């Protein structure tokens, strides 16, 4: 009885939705009744039954075969999913090809952001061991997932003509298993990384000025910023937080197929997963560029955890001032001035 | 050449699940895999109950084919949609795309991980050598190469499920429709299309089905 | 003016974005399947390459499903 009521609710919602979309949908709640009457007036006419067959599950639809959705004769969602997938594969492919090209063009015309003054040689702790460890855990699992995901989505068009079918299928099997097992590790590490970095990523007034001036990336001037500049904060909230959680949640729906989720949910999860993952990868290209080639000294900060005083002053002046003002505070180990040994470059 | 098709006559299917059993027995399919299933519409509603047997319908423009990331599907010269299990990665995309829910995945390991896809082969095996042990182990028996039709259709007790060349199948069904409704206007189903009145009363009309309230 | 031009450019871009869309679905042409080849059903043991015999067998089997013709021949 409960299930019937649920089905009613869902079909009611569905009818409302289709009405909103402006398409006429002839779904009658009482196909059985109609068929019984039709049998008397027009014997052999099974139109109401076929309508129910097309419409999915009606409450009187049964089968002896145990399993998920085995009583559904025809599901229409598959075609919608297939068409949607076709579109986002095409455009996503272009976006993922063009973004690195644009970054390359930018690097070629503008070059890396170099330090303006000479390094003082005095180093400031920027990231603790834990912070670096969690960052690289997320980063490495992300790269594995991105690469395996892209191979599974585009490999048929890009790699299969080169490798041949057998070799590519071995690669694809490897990718699928990597994707399925590395995924949960990524999700867990992602949560820990969000908790680690959320404190320094809340937007401040000066961040809006930074956004208004696009971080001075065009003019070349320095716009004040805290421990993280507004660009990094946008990556944190939009990329790591929003896309990361969306990708992880939909990934779990697809990865653990043993919780009785139906095809409709998995189709939806697949579309959301793929689209947000491609956006994530496109944004990641920007982050990876700024963290390595694009900014002198940025990679060292995440690799060794320390930055030169000059770098801190030029890139994160507000954070630098805070650190100078609160010499005593050594919270989390990364806060406070360190004047240690010299560090091997590279 | 022939284009193999299944057809299920909803007027004849009695939901005996014989086709399901025959399929399981013929191909020794693993546990949890159902290449064929019988679905009953309006189960328990007098006068409205219709059963249908469904499996892979061997689409001419098969959606599973276009979404497969490793291109493991192919169509034989008889129009049977088959797949090669070796490259299959078990992603489940063919199952998302298929309108009929034909692709099946045996659970392979923990967390519902999918194994290699398995589906109805129209009793035509797979790309391995016909009637070889490997072919039987992966795809089941290859009846087509023995000059036989799918086991489910051939053993159907009421001949509700028909299988074979589309031309032959439609000929059989045409014969059936012509004989079903007698002579005159009944032959082309006047009453079925326009209601009783002008046409000669058919056998079905004499039985007045009881319309009961829903359970 | 510049803003309008930029806006118009973006709008135009969005408007014609669908024009580049083309089917990505793989087209299967006969004999161009790159996977493992499957043999024709009449190549193997009982028919030994006799396609016509195989077709006759299949046709006989198909017609065996028609009880009207079976009743008539008996």
């Amino acid at each position: 009885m409960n299930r019937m009521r649920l089905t009613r609710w869902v079909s009611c919602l569905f009818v409302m939705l289709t009405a909103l979309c402006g398409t006429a949908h002839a779904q009658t709640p009482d196909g059985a009744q109609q068929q019984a009457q039709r049998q008397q007036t027009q014997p052999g006419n099974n139109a109401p039954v076929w309508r129910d067959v097309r419409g999915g599950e009606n409450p009187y639809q049964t089968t002896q075969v145990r399993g998920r959705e085995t009583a559904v004769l025809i599901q229409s969602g598959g075609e919608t999913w297939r068409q949607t997938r076709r579109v986002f594969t095409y455009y996503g492919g272009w976006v993922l090809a063009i973004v690195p090209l644009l970054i390359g063009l930018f690097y070629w015309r503008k070059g890396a952001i170099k330090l303006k003054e000479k390094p003082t040689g005095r180093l400031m702790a920027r990231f603790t061991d834990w912070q670096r460890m969690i960052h690289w855990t997320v980063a490495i699992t992300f790269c594995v997932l991105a690469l395996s995901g892209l191979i599974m989505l585009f490999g048929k068009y890009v790699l299969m003509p080169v490798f041949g079918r057998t070799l590519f299928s071995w690669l694809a099997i490897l990718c699928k298993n990597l994707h399925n097992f590395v995924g949960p590790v990524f999700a867990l590490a992602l949560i820990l990384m969000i908790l680690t970095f959320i404190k320094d990523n809340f937007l401040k007034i000066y961040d809006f000025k930074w956004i208004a001036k696009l971080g001075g990336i065009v003019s070349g001037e320095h716009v004040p910023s805290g421990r993280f500049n507004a660009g990094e904060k946008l990556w944190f909230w939009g990329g790591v937080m929003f896309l990361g959680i969306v990708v992880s949640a939909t990934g779990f729906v697809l990865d653990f197929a043993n919780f009785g989720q139906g095809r409709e949910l998995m189709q939806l999860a697949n579309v959301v997963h793929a689209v947000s993952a491609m956006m994530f990868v496109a944004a990641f290209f920007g982050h990876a560029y700024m963290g390595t080639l694009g900014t002198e000294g940025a990679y060292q900060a995440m690799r060794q955890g320390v930055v030169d005083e000059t770098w801190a002053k030029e890139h994160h002046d507000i954070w630098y001032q805070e650190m100078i003002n609160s010499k005593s505070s050594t919270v989390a180990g990364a806060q406070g001035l360190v004047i240690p040994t010299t560090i091997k470059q590279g | 050449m022939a284009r193999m098709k299944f057809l299920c006559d909803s007027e004849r299917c009695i939901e005996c699940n014989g086709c399901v059993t025959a399929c399981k027995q013929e191909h020794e399919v693993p546990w949890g895999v159902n290449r064929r299933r019988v679905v009953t519409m309006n189960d328990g509603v007098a006068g409205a109950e219709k059963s249908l047997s469904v499996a892979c319908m061997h689409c001419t423009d098969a959606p599973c084919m276009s979404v497969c990331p490793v291109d493991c599907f192919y169509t034989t010269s008889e129009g049977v949609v088959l797949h090669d299990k070796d490259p299959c990665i078990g992603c489940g995309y063919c199952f998302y795309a298929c309108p009929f829910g034909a692709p099946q995945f045996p659970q392979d390991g923990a967390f519902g991980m999918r194994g290699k896809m398995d589906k109805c082969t129209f009793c035509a095996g797979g790309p391995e050598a016909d009637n070889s042990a490997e072919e039987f182990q992966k795809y089941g028996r290859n009846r087509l190469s023995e000059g036989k039709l799918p086991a489910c259709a051939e053993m159907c007790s009421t001949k509700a499920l028909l299988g074979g060349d589309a031309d032959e199948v439609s000929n059989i069904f045409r014969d059936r429709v012509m004989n079903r409704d007698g002579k005159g206007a009944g032959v082309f189903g006047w009453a079925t299309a326009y209601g009783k009145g002008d046409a000669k009363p058919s056998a079905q009309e004499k039985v007045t089905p009881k319309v009961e309230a829903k359970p | 003016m510049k803003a309008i031009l930029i806006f118009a450019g973006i709008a135009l871009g969005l408007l014609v974005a669908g024009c580049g869309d083309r089917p990505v679905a793989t087209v299967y042409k006969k004999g161009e399947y790159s996977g493992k080849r499957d043999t024709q059903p009449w190549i193997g043991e009982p028919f030994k390459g006799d396609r016509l015999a195989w077709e006759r067998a299949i046709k006989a089997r198909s017609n065996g499903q028609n009880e009207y013709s079976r009743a008539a021949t008996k």
Side-chain angles (χ1 to χ4, degrees), chain B residues 9 43 67 71 114 150 196 202 215:
Chain B
D9 189 344
D43 199 358
V67 297
D71 255 353
R114 299 183 178 99
K196 288 187 283 186
S202 72

Side-chain angles (χ1 to χ4, degrees), chain A residues 82 86-87 89-91 156-157 160 165, chain C residues 17-18 20 23-24 26 33-36:
Chain A
R82 183 162 81 104
R86 195 171 71 85
V87 171
T89 308
Y90 183 78
Y91 287 109
K156 182 179 175 178
Y157 312 107
M160 199 150 71
R165 219 176 59 116
Chain C
V24 189
T26 318
Y33 167 69
S34 62
K36 217 185 276 177

